[in-house]
Amino acid sequence: MAFAAEMTQEEISAKLAEGLKLLRNADVSGCPCRRTFLSALEEAKRRMDDGTLRGLSPQTEEFADFESLYAYLEANIPEEELVFSHGDYCLPNVFLSGEKIGFVDLGSAGVMDKDYDVFMCLWSMRYNFVTLGSMSE
């Protein structure tokens, strides 16, 4: 697993970036699994309407409730660059062995914005190397 690879943090980072490039270069023309900003927004609306989110609040100071957060997101839909995404590009799901890169847990894979896997990777690097590990910020 990437977090346990016998490499420096810089070497692991470079291999993880290489893995992202491999995924992004996959042909998505026939991929039936799509997770776009609009589909996520539709899912959020469904969850607000069916009461799934009742009693909960967004984990942010900027928005008091999900309705105001939803209104903001609906008015500020970002441009997306859709690529093939692992869907859970965390260090335990990427295997590194010499020059080889392997992926596991592709159950959430599909077409998503190019930044989704980057976010997940950075979050996982911080969690695995800083929170669980002994490296500093």
Side-chain angles (χ1 to χ4, degrees):
M1 293 181 201
F3 69 85
E6 293 187 18
M7 301 176 183
T8 66
Q9 185 176 357
E10 290 77 18
E11 292 169 329
I12 292 171
S13 297
K15 294 304 279 183
L16 291 168
E18 187 179 328
L20 285 172
K21 289 177 186 174
L22 286 171
L23 292 168
R24 287 181 179 179
N25 287 329
D27 179 13
V28 297
S29 59
C31 185
C33 302
R34 293 189 174 269
R35 181 81 171 150
T36 64
F37 187 84
L38 286 176
S39 68
L41 205 54
E42 289 169 3
E43 174 67 13
K45 178 72 169 144
R46 185 192 63 73
R47 293 182 73 196
M48 285 189 315
D49 291 347
D50 72 10
T52 304
L53 301 177
R54 191 172 296 120
L56 301 174
S57 63
Q59 300 294 312
T60 176
E61 294 177 15
E62 291 87 5
F63 302 98
D65 53 41
F66 286 111
E67 289 77 12
S68 60
L69 174 57
Y70 179 86
Y72 173 82
L73 292 172
E74 188 176 42
N76 293 281
I77 296 173
E79 284 190 42
E80 296 179 288
E81 183 179 331
L82 300 177
V83 298
F84 183 76
S85 170
H86 181 284
D88 191 12
Y89 199 74
C90 295
L91 276 64
N93 294 335
V94 181
F95 282 69
L96 304 176
S97 177
E99 294 300 312
K100 297 178 181 177
I101 302 171
F103 308 105
V104 297
D105 191 14
L106 290 153
S108 298
V111 179
M112 294 178 221
D113 183 70
K114 66 177 179 59
D115 293 330
Y116 186 81
D117 280 345
V118 173
F119 166 78
M120 293 302 299
C121 184
L122 291 173
W123 176 89
S124 184
M125 289 176 74
R126 182 168 195 237
Y127 181 76
N128 284 275
F129 293 140
V130 178
T131 303
L132 296 180
S134 60
M135 293 186 182
S136 64
E137 274 306 312

